[in-house]
């Protein structure tokens, strides 16, 4: 029988690594709650000041890792996001060395946002929060990878489709998979152009399942009726190639003729930027799930 496991936000890591000590163990099919800190590890106070004490905080902390019994290298780990709740206060900034358009220095102070009623307010505009998970991933195959860097294991992908109701699929590279997550955003636009989403702590409830006999090169997210392959690399050009290659493989493995798969993708696949501010760029190739198989 399934049980609910809770991982406290005191169990955070700054590197996704196969040698990390598990914060918790679970079985295939279990439901697990991850309490997450904001990307500053709590260094930003509600008054907008930021504690800069060296060594006191974990950069971009991820809660975990969770050891999923039975997950082995070569498997896929399915992570269904059952619920995603954020705290009341989020922040953005400060603005030193941030953004993608060349402006530098600390002209952008920390801004605190109260989203306790589920609304974001800025410049007289009010819009609903749309919470998503910035960092989510498993232990990579080789050396550990810091939680600022997205790669084949997931990590800091900052993909807006990773939100409540979505299911994310990861290639397992270490025994137990070692799932970890954090860096929630109450709102973020594709690209994350200032380097900050609306950074906020929260709580994520997931159900995990091990899929045997299939593998992936890059994480996949299914969000509503959209399937997206999420690839990360040094340049967005490389990401586009890697994401479309795996989407093509998914389509042909589900019965599409090679030529028709290519032409379908040219008509119905969208390449979208996830983020362009992290040590690797991230792009997703997405298509409606209605096109995953041919009808004839
Ligand atoms: Ca991030
Ligand atoms: Ca963030």
């Amino acid at each position: 029988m399934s049980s609910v496991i809770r991982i406290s936000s005191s169990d955070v890591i700054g590197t996704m690594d196969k040698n990390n000590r598990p914060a918790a163990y679970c079985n295939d099919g279990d439901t697990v709650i991850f309490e997450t800190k904001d990307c500053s590890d709590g260094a930003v106070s509600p008054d907008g000041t930021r504690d800069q004490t060296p060594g006191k905080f974990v950069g971009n902390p991820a809660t975990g890792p969770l050891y999923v019994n039975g997950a082995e290298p070569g498997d896929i780990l399915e992570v269904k996001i059952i619920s995603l709740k954020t705290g009341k206060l989020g922040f953005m900034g400060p603005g030193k060395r941030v953004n993608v358009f060349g402006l530098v220095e600390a002209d952008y102070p920390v801004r605190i946002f109260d989203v306790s009623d589920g609304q974001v307010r800025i410049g007289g505009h009010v819009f609903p929060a749309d919470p998503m998970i910035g960092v989510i991933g498993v232990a990579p195959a080789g050396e550990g990878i810091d939680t600022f860097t997205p790669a084949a294991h997931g990590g800091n992908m900052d993909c807006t489709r990773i939100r409540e109701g979505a299911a994310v699929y990861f290639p397992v590279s270490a025994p137990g998979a070692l799932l970890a997550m954090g860096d929630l955003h109450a709102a973020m636009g594709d690209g994350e152009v200032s380097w900050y989403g609306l950074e906020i702590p929260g709580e994520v409830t997931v159900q995990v399942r091990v899929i045997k006999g299939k593998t992936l090169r890059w994480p996949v997210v299914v969000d509503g009726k959209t399937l997206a392959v999420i690839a990360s690399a040094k340049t967005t050009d490389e990401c586009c190639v890697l994401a479309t290659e795996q989407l093509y493989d998914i389509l042909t493995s589900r019965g599409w003729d090679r030529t028709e798969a290519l032409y379908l993708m040219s008509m119905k696949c969208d390449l979208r930027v996830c983020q362009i501010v992290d040590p690797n760029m991230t792009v997703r190739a997405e298509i409606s799930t209605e096109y995953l198989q041919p009808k004839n």
Side-chain angles (χ1 to χ4, degrees):
M1 189 180 148
S2 298
S3 57
V4 177
I5 294 155
R6 176 178 286 270
I7 306 179
S8 154
S9 62
S10 59
D11 278 313
V12 293
I13 53 174
T15 301
M16 293 191 176
D17 190 314
K18 60 183 183 300
N19 297 317
N20 280 337
R21 183 184 57 81
Y25 292 79
C26 78
N27 292 320
D28 192 358
D30 277 349
T31 299
V32 182
I33 300 170
F34 290 75
E35 297 175 357
T36 62
K37 289 183 170 173
D38 67 38
C39 72
S40 80
D41 195 18
V44 173
S45 299
D47 65 6
T49 57
R50 182 163 188 155
D51 186 337
Q52 307 277 14
T53 310
K56 189 172 173 185
F57 301 98
V58 176
N60 222 22
T63 300
L66 172 70
Y67 188 105
V68 182
N69 293 323
E72 294 292 338
D75 296 339
I76 293 173
L77 184 70
E78 177 191 72
V79 181
K80 279 189 183 160
I81 302 165
I82 309 295
S83 82
L84 202 176
K85 295 177 190 153
T86 66
K88 295 176 178 171
L89 294 180
F91 77 95
M92 300 180 85
K96 193 171 185 182
R97 290 185 296 105
V98 302
N99 74 53
V100 297
F101 38 84
L103 304 175
V104 292
E105 295 312 320
D107 292 322
Y108 311 99
V110 171
R111 179 73 69 86
I112 302 292
F113 295 86
D114 182 342
V115 297
S116 53
D117 63 353
Q119 303 291 312
V120 181
R121 292 170 184 79
I122 186 165
H125 291 271
V126 183
F127 51 87
D130 187 6
M132 47 81 69
I133 302 174
V135 171
I136 182 167
V138 295
E143 295 290 300
I145 297 178
D146 67 68
T147 49
F148 289 99
T149 304
H153 71 297
N156 196 14
M157 298 182 288
D158 288 312
C159 174
T160 51
R161 288 204 175 277
I162 302 180
R163 56 189 171 183
E164 188 170 288
V168 196
Y169 299 83
F170 295 98
V172 176
S173 296
L178 300 179
L179 176 69
M181 66 189 76
D183 187 32
L184 305 192
H185 301 149
M188 193 196 99
D190 285 338
E192 202 187 17
V193 297
S194 84
W195 198 69
Y196 292 98
L198 205 179
E199 308 292 340
I200 198 158
E203 190 176 290
V204 185
T205 303
V206 301
Q207 186 181 32
V208 295
R209 196 166 64 92
V210 178
I211 300 172
K212 297 283 183 186
K214 289 184 180 176
T215 193
L216 293 168
R217 295 190 298 278
W218 297 100
V220 167
V221 59
V222 176
D223 173 35
K225 291 192 182 311
T226 301
L227 178 145
V229 175
I230 310 167
S232 301
K234 278 293 165 204
T235 68
T236 51
D237 285 1
E238 292 171 84
C239 296
C240 290
V241 172
L242 296 165
T244 48
E245 279 178 347
Q246 182 169 296
L247 183 56
Y248 179 77
D249 289 349
I250 289 171
L251 294 172
T252 52
S253 74
R254 291 179 182 227
W256 278 96
D257 165 84
R258 299 180 74 80
T259 302
E260 289 200 333
L262 180 66
Y263 293 164
L264 170 79
M265 283 174 65
S266 212
M267 291 189 276
K268 285 292 183 187
C269 160
D270 294 316
L271 289 170
R272 297 195 192 282
V273 166
C274 293
Q275 59 74 29
I276 50 171
V277 291
D278 296 331
N280 282 334
M281 310 288 109
T282 305
V283 170
R284 64 185 184 270
E286 56 181 50
I287 195 164
S288 168
T289 53
E290 72 180 291
Y291 298 116
L292 289 180
Q293 285 100 22
K295 284 193 169 179
N296 50 21

